[in-house]
Amino acid sequence: TNGGATWSIANRPDTNFLWLNKVILNPLDPDILYAVGSTADTNQFNVDRRAVFRSNDAGDSWTQLWGGGGNPEHVMDIEINPSDTAELIIGTLSNVYISNNSGTSWTSLLGASPLITTPMGLNGRRCEVAYCQSSPSTIYVLRYLTATGITTSQVWQTTDGGTNWTLLSTTTGGANASVLGGQGNYDNIIWADP
């Protein structure tokens, strides 16, 4: 609240929060925060991987917006539409989801028959997402895919809010050959210059 001069610890979104991937704040209301990652039971074996939380009081309390069912889709990234803060997009291991109601409900941004497909033999490991600040109907997705001894990085773009997608770039090779090297599970981010 003072530009970083002092810090205080906010409450955890969940007592069983396994790991935190990202926290963002609503640019129009800094008391509204979103946190994404994964949760687990107390022994950390039964993972409830879909974890999206919202705070309306700057982190004092949290409500889980999405989770349950043991879905294997860890939530890796979240972004807010700069023109419509009720619209959120999240990146998971292999998919991108959109909410038009501040996280109450989610649908795949890739469509029922995925518009962004995973090549045969590869596994989705992480999707990072970014809105173009000057034109929020333009969205970018950076995907990291792996198989034994192989890594693939893909950059996808939509200019119509997800109706159509274009593959802008792809690199494939040995374990460290893609643009993300062997670190796409961790060191993976995409940002669009306004």
Side-chain angles (χ1 to χ4, degrees), residues 7-8 15 35 46 52 63 76 84 86 89 137 142 152-153 155 162 188:
W7 292 84
S8 60
T15 56
N46 297 318
V52 180
T63 301
M76 313 306 282
D84 177 6
I89 52 174
S137 61
L142 175 57
T152 297
S153 301
V155 178
N188 181 344

Side-chain angles (χ1 to χ4, degrees), residues 24 36 75 77-81 87-91 96-99 106 109 129-131 139-141 161 165:
I24 58 170
V36 298
V75 183
D77 195 13
I78 184 168
E79 292 292 338
I80 298 176
N81 184 326
E87 182 180 291
L88 310 168
I89 52 174
I90 58 173
V96 178
Y97 295 90
I98 187 167
S99 173
W106 299 87
L109 193 58
V129 294
Y131 280 104
I139 300 168
Y140 295 91
V141 175
W165 291 90

Side-chain angles (χ1 to χ4, degrees), residues 16 21 40 51 71 82 86 92 127 130 134 137 146 154 156 171 176 191:
N16 295 325
N21 283 325
N71 189 296
T92 66
C127 289
S134 60
S137 61
T146 63
Q154 300 176 331
W156 291 84
T171 57
N176 295 308
W191 183 79

Side-chain angles (χ1 to χ4, degrees), residues 28-136:
L28 302 181
D29 185 347
D31 283 338
I32 298 176
L33 305 174
Y34 295 93
V36 298
S38 293
T39 60
D41 64 13
T42 52
N43 65 18
Q44 296 189 351
F45 288 109
N46 297 318
V47 178
D48 172 13
R49 295 177 175 174
R50 295 183 296 179
V52 180
F53 292 86
R54 174 183 166 128
S55 173
N56 293 321
D57 52 19
D60 286 338
S61 62
W62 295 87
T63 301
Q64 188 166 5
L65 301 176
W66 198 38
N71 189 296
E73 292 285 303
H74 293 292
V75 183
M76 313 306 282
D77 195 13
I78 184 168
E79 292 292 338
I80 298 176
N81 184 326
S83 296
D84 177 6
T85 57
E87 182 180 291
L88 310 168
I89 52 174
I90 58 173
T92 66
L93 293 178
S94 59
N95 208 334
V96 178
Y97 295 90
I98 187 167
S99 173
N100 295 303
N101 50 20
S102 300
T104 301
S105 60
W106 299 87
T107 56
S108 173
L109 193 58
L110 307 184
S113 298
L115 303 172
I116 296 178
T117 59
T118 300
M120 184 66 70
L122 294 177
N123 298 306
R125 299 302 303 232
R126 188 173 185 131
C127 289
E128 292 288 309
V129 294
Y131 280 104
C132 178
Q133 299 294 307
S134 60
S135 178

